[in-house]
Amino acid sequence: MATFPEYIAQNEERDGVRFSWNVWPSSRLEATRMVVPVAALFTPLKERTDLPPIQYEPVLCSRATCRAVLNPLCQVDYRAKLWACNFCYQRNQRGPQMPLVFLYVVDTCMEDEDLQALKESLQMSLSLLPPTALVGLITFGRMVQVHELGCEGISKSYVFRGTKDLNAKQLQEMLGLTKPSAAQGRGPQAPQQPLSNRFLQPVQKVDMNLTDLLGELQRDPWPLTQGRRPLRSLGVAMSIAVGLLECTFPNTGARIMTFIGGPATQGPGMVVGDELKTPIRSWHDIEKDNAKFMKKATKHFESLAHRASSSGHVVDIYACSLDQTGLLEMKCCPNLTGGYMVMADSFNTSLFKQTFQRVFTKDLQGSFKMAFAATLEVKTSREIKVSGAIGPCVSLNAKGPCVSENEIGTGGTSQWKICGLDPSTTLALYFEVVNQHNAPIPQGGRGAIQFVSQYQHSSGQRRIRVTTIARNWADAQTQIQSIAASFDQEAAAILMARLAVYRAETEEGPDVLRWLDRQLIRLCQKFGDYHKDDPNSFRFSETFSLYPQFMFHLRRSPFLQVFNNSPDESSYYRHQFNRHDLTQALIMIQPVLYAYSFNGPPEPVLLDSSSILPDRILLMDTFFQILIYHGETVAQWRKAGYQDMPEYENFRHLLQAPVDDAQELLHTRFPMPRYIDTEHGGSQARFLLSKVNPSQTHNNMYAWGQESGAPILTDDVSLQVFMDHLKKLAVSSAA
């Protein structure tokens, strides 16, 4: 019989699903007392090399209100040629390829060096696209230019003012995309034919022309006055991109790839004026209601995000600048469409270049790993309903018998649209047990959930992937131990963290932290082992023991703490956290620390100030950064050049080992992390010191002695103090 950890790992490997609880409380009342809801992290495109596509349509249940898909949990009567649906118990008798579309939207208000690097990356990307893919180009500065790609030997573009927004109909007329005469005589099918137009052409036809056109792009020609920002019409450029695809390729896989070197400074979507003496809004300005462009700009980008998502189109944003670019206002575009958000200092960095190249990663069959225009439908057995989803999706407002009235995240529906997804895109789905306390579930009963993911594969094929799972019910009155033993603390931590980050978008920071603390205290009261009012007696079983420290690190993380981060950085961190799978999300909350020393191979060590020793090198992975830290003695030896002396060859190997391990992470992660090499007393050591648990601070350093780690200058409480407070509150009879 498999242990629960083995069972959890097998299910994740096979189905791409991790549940907070793997045995479910059998009544609504008991489920609410579990504190952490029954919820799942689901990765629709979980990579499975052993899963060949079936070359026929899925078999659906015949009941109109169910329509679940035939799956391995159904009972099949081969003699009578019947199968019984495991959701509604009904007994049952036994599409065209589209091209992918890539529309580049390119800012030309940037330094020549940056623009040159960007042009080279864009030219490189053309060689990675399938020959049949359609490409288009919009460039913008003070004006917006939509480039014609169909004409030989002559560059032709339509120019739009950057201060005036256009609706889809106006744009259609101005670009001459209404072709009634050509459509006449084709019968009722005419509107279905994609309009191959001058602005979106197959790569194989225009790659030479487009490569030349990109090479000739110049910096925005409008003269720039001293002390002014360039006039950047980003809002109109994105609006035109959305409108162009909306009227030519609705509900077809398409990516709007936006490259920006600074903030929108005019027209709809502007986030800052053009005077450099007025800085772009900070968290402080937002709190004081002093960010005068924010609401209007956010509204503009939200309307674009909804238009793009209803057409099934993805919006990516690559923002490369030393200052903020307005990601806070634009975040809804990638967040609602499943697009990428990438943030770097410049287009001329390996962080941007490598990350952009990885967008076009291919699988073993030579297809892109990205999928488009997906829908996810959730079906449940009658004892459970779906409350909502948190992740890169929008609601399809599909009401039905399995939709809960209690909404969590994007709720009130059993279907969501995910315009763009890849093998790591993960949604958090929250469920509600609705079975009444007085209606016992038969012994051995199982609850079932089916995830039906339909998407456009990058080959142009429509595909459906069906994942069906079942979990045992247990009566919380008599079988609380088996429910407790089924707790997946890693999945639960991420599911609660997604909920906290979702709340942080609309609630005050301290309120979110209080909510998180309350949930943790309630969980300790429910599942801890203790005597009333005796904190020293508190014990947590192994299945719960790591959960409090995940919460401790989550409280200090950039997902909930905005101090020391700009609004753009907070939006970027939250975007990544809300789309990645469990393994990556855990690293984001609680970074991984490895120690390298002369005593043997590298070993994982506690994320604690006591791990920072003079004769050690540390490698820290925070997902966003890969940091190598040289302890005081190691740094002195390195400075003295010992690694270059033949008799200290082992020291040279010690210095090289973490660098080799860091390279492996840098080459595989998306987006590529920032690489930091620092040492004791170095200015960038702050990245390490701000992440470790401050078990030694300037207040208690003398109690620890000199050789046991590095004291941290902070007033933050340590994990030990946090745990002491938690135990005290959990066992208190007043609570």
Side-chain angles (χ1 to χ4, degrees):
M1 167 104 178
T3 62
F4 262 115
E6 286 166 351
Y7 174 78
I8 288 165
Q10 285 163 6
N11 277 278
E12 182 178 26
E13 195 56 35
R14 187 186 67 221
D15 300 331
V17 178
R18 287 277 289 260
F19 271 90
S20 48
W21 304 95
N22 289 286
V23 171
W24 296 342
S26 60
S27 79
R28 181 182 203 149
L29 182 66
E30 291 301 341
T32 58
R33 292 176 178 165
M34 295 296 136
V35 186
V36 173
V38 173
L41 288 163
F42 176 55
T43 308
L45 292 193
K46 171 79 176 169
E47 289 186 285
R48 284 270 304 268
T49 48
D50 59 339
L51 203 65
I54 300 170
Q55 301 302 333
Y56 62 84
E57 288 288 302
V59 178
L60 301 184
C61 171
S62 57
R63 181 170 290 176
T65 54
C66 177
R67 312 292 285 162
V69 178
L70 172 65
N71 63 80
L73 298 174
C74 294
Q75 288 181 318
V76 180
D77 182 339
Y78 291 99
R79 288 232 292 284
K81 294 190 173 147
L82 292 172
W83 62 276
C85 174
N86 59 322
F87 290 92
C88 72
Y89 311 115
Q90 171 85 355
R91 289 168 70 76
N92 297 284
Q93 304 286 347
R94 287 208 36 137
Q97 297 208 353
M98 297 295 283
L100 295 181
V101 185
F102 294 88
L103 178 53
Y104 297 104
V105 181
V106 182
D107 177 4
T108 56
C109 298
M110 57 179 92
E111 298 295 328
D112 291 334
E113 183 190 337
D114 247 21
L115 187 58
Q116 187 54 38
L118 174 56
K119 281 155 48 169
E120 286 167 13
S121 285
L122 297 177
Q123 287 168 325
M124 171 278 300
S125 71
L126 289 179
S127 65
L128 302 176
L129 297 179
T132 53
L134 301 182
V135 281
L137 175 66
I138 295 174
T139 57
F140 67 94
R142 187 171 181 168
M143 299 291 183
V144 180
Q145 289 179 276
V146 184
H147 296 265
E148 255 194 40
L149 301 179
C151 41
E152 287 292 322
I154 179 172
S155 306
K156 194 171 163 191
S157 63
Y158 286 63
V159 181
F160 295 87
R161 276 221 311 271
T163 49
K164 187 174 182 295
D165 203 5
L166 300 164
N167 62 38
K169 193 169 184 302
Q170 291 169 316
L171 186 69
Q172 227 170 333
E173 285 167 4
M174 287 175 164
L175 294 178
L177 292 172
T178 41
K179 298 197 291 186
S181 54
Q184 279 163 5
R186 283 208 216 132
Q189 284 303 307
Q192 299 303 313
Q193 297 298 321
L195 299 170
S196 177
N197 58 60
R198 306 179 303 275
F199 309 104
L200 295 162
Q201 290 277 316
V203 173
Q204 57 198 5
K205 188 176 162 193
V206 297
D207 61 345
M208 295 294 286
N209 275 3
L210 187 51
T211 301
D212 292 346
L213 181 57
L214 287 168
E216 288 159 12
L217 281 185
Q218 298 290 317
R219 194 171 162 180
D220 188 51
W222 290 91
L224 197 54
T225 323
Q226 185 83 38
R228 300 263 174 186
R229 294 184 178 90
L231 290 173
R232 189 181 276 107
S233 312
L234 171 61
V236 170
M238 285 179 72
S239 178
I240 290 173
V242 169
L244 174 59
L245 289 178
E246 203 171 40
C247 59
T248 51
F249 290 96
N251 301 313
T252 300
R255 292 197 96 90
I256 295 170
M257 308 177 91
T258 316
F259 304 88
I260 57 175
T265 49
Q266 73 162 6
M270 74 182 280
V271 291
V272 67
D274 68 339
E275 287 199 359
L276 277 168
K277 67 178 185 198
T278 316
I280 190 169
R281 42 94 199 108
S282 63
W283 277 122
H284 183 70
D285 295 326
I286 294 167
E287 280 158 22
K288 294 273 177 286
D289 203 15
N290 197 20
K292 66 174 181 176
F293 300 110
M294 188 179 83
K295 284 196 177 78
K296 206 171 168 191
T298 304
K299 198 174 168 192
H300 174 74
F301 290 114
E302 278 178 354
S303 94
L304 293 184
H306 287 296
R307 280 170 61 192
S309 60
S310 62
S311 294
H313 300 149
V314 186
V315 181
D316 299 327
I317 297 177
Y318 298 88
C320 294
S321 168
L322 288 167
D323 197 4
Q324 296 186 76
T325 56
L327 288 178
L328 172 74
E329 290 79 1
M330 290 187 282
K331 65 187 176 194
C332 48
C333 290
N335 289 354
L336 297 182
T337 66
Y340 296 126
M341 186 193 281
V342 174
M343 192 176 173
D345 292 343
S346 152
F347 286 108
N348 198 19
T349 54
S350 58
L351 195 155
F352 165 72
K353 291 175 184 176
Q354 296 286 321
T355 300
F356 183 51
Q357 197 164 344
R358 278 172 213 170
V359 169
F360 303 100
T361 306
K362 295 194 165 110
D363 62 18
L364 296 171
Q365 283 73 44
S367 299
F368 285 147
K369 289 188 174 183
M370 57 177 96
F372 297 88
T375 58
L376 171 65
E377 182 175 4
V378 173
K379 297 171 186 291
T380 61
S381 51
R382 61 184 170 218
E383 315 85 354
I384 190 166
K385 294 190 176 190
V386 63
S387 298
I390 297 178
C393 61
V394 289
S395 167
L396 280 171
N397 296 314
K399 308 286 185 232
C402 59
V403 177
S404 163
E405 288 172 9
N406 295 332
E407 292 187 23
I408 294 179
T410 305
T413 180
S414 59
Q415 294 177 27
W416 294 265
K417 195 169 200 172
I418 315 162
C419 299
L421 71 169
D422 61 38
S424 74
T425 306
T426 300
L427 266 66
L429 292 137
Y430 299 83
F431 299 91
E432 182 189 16
V433 176
V434 292
N435 197 55
Q436 290 306 326
H437 204 57
N438 53 7
I441 290 170
Q443 188 68 32
R446 306 183 88 193
I449 295 173
Q450 187 169 74
F451 303 98
V452 183
S453 312
Q454 303 196 35
Y455 60 94
Q456 182 184 326
H457 184 258
S458 62
S459 64
Q461 243 181 359
R462 283 299 298 175
R463 287 194 180 174
I464 301 183
R465 184 188 279 207
V466 181
T467 308
T468 312
I469 64 94
R471 295 290 186 271
N472 292 338
W473 293 109
D475 183 344
Q477 306 271 284
T478 55
Q479 299 166 292
I480 191 74
Q481 289 318 112
S482 64
I483 295 177
S486 82
F487 187 63
D488 180 342
Q489 54 192 330
E490 293 180 338
I494 301 304
L495 286 157
M496 291 300 273
R498 282 232 186 158
L499 209 40
V501 171
Y502 181 82
R503 294 175 77 125
E505 290 288 347
T506 51
E507 296 175 30
E508 295 290 323
D511 294 346
V512 177
L513 294 179
R514 272 195 293 275
W515 172 80
L516 208 53
D517 292 344
R518 252 196 330 272
Q519 305 308 310
L520 179 57
I521 293 162
R522 284 179 57 212
L523 193 75
C524 292
Q525 288 168 336
K526 177 80 178 170
F527 293 100
D529 193 9
Y530 55 90
H531 302 302
K532 276 278 181 214
D533 296 318
D534 178 5
N536 294 329
S537 69
F538 186 90
R539 297 287 178 276
F540 237 164
S541 74
E542 239 173 58
T543 39
F544 292 87
S545 58
L546 296 173
Y547 188 82
Q549 78 184 45
F550 288 138
M551 293 298 116
F552 169 76
H553 288 292
L554 174 64
R555 293 173 95 266
R556 306 180 76 212
S557 73
F559 311 116
L560 298 183
Q561 297 289 348
V562 299
F563 176 74
N564 241 349
N565 286 316
S566 69
D568 277 16
E569 285 171 317
S570 299
S571 301
Y572 174 67
Y573 292 138
R574 288 171 179 175
H575 163 87
Q576 299 298 353
F577 184 71
N578 273 337
R579 68 170 293 132
H580 278 284
D581 59 29
L582 176 129
T583 309
Q584 310 295 341
L586 281 175
I587 295 170
M588 294 183 204
I589 289 182
Q590 185 172 318
V592 183
L593 200 59
Y594 292 95
Y596 297 75
S597 66
F598 291 118
N599 305 334
E603 51 175 356
V605 290
L606 290 174
L607 186 67
D608 193 288
S609 55
S610 61
S611 299
I612 304 172
L613 298 177
D615 58 349
R616 248 184 194 177
I617 302 175
L618 295 175
L619 171 67
M620 181 175 73
D621 178 4
T622 72
F623 182 85
F624 301 103
Q625 297 130 354
I626 304 292
L627 176 139
I628 296 177
Y629 171 90
H630 301 85
E632 191 170 7
T633 313
V634 175
Q636 286 166 356
W637 291 346
R638 182 167 72 154
K639 215 173 228 165
Y642 284 15
Q643 66 277 17
D644 303 326
M645 302 176 191
E647 64 268 36
Y648 291 107
E649 192 183 1
N650 60 345
F651 180 57
R652 188 175 82 245
H653 291 317
L654 177 68
L655 287 179
Q656 192 56 39
V659 175
D660 292 344
D661 291 347
Q663 287 309 316
E664 202 170 308
L665 290 166
L666 289 167
H667 284 144
T668 51
R669 172 112 4 117
F670 181 90
M672 185 182 178
R674 196 177 287 266
Y675 179 59
I676 299 167
D677 183 314
T678 187
E679 61 186 30
H680 172 81
S683 70
Q684 292 194 303
R686 68 183 189 277
F687 290 108
L688 171 68
L689 302 179
S690 67
K691 292 288 182 198
V692 294
N693 166 37
S695 58
Q696 300 118 294
T697 69
H698 56 297
N699 297 321
N700 67 4
M701 58 191 276
Y702 298 108
W704 282 81
Q706 283 306 300
E707 287 305 307
S708 58
I712 311 282
L713 298 167
T714 183
D715 292 326
D716 281 3
V717 300
S718 68
L719 179 58
Q720 189 55 51
V721 174
F722 178 78
M723 288 302 296
D724 290 346
H725 278 286
L726 178 59
K727 289 173 184 175
K728 201 180 292 179
L729 288 162
V731 304
S732 161
S733 40

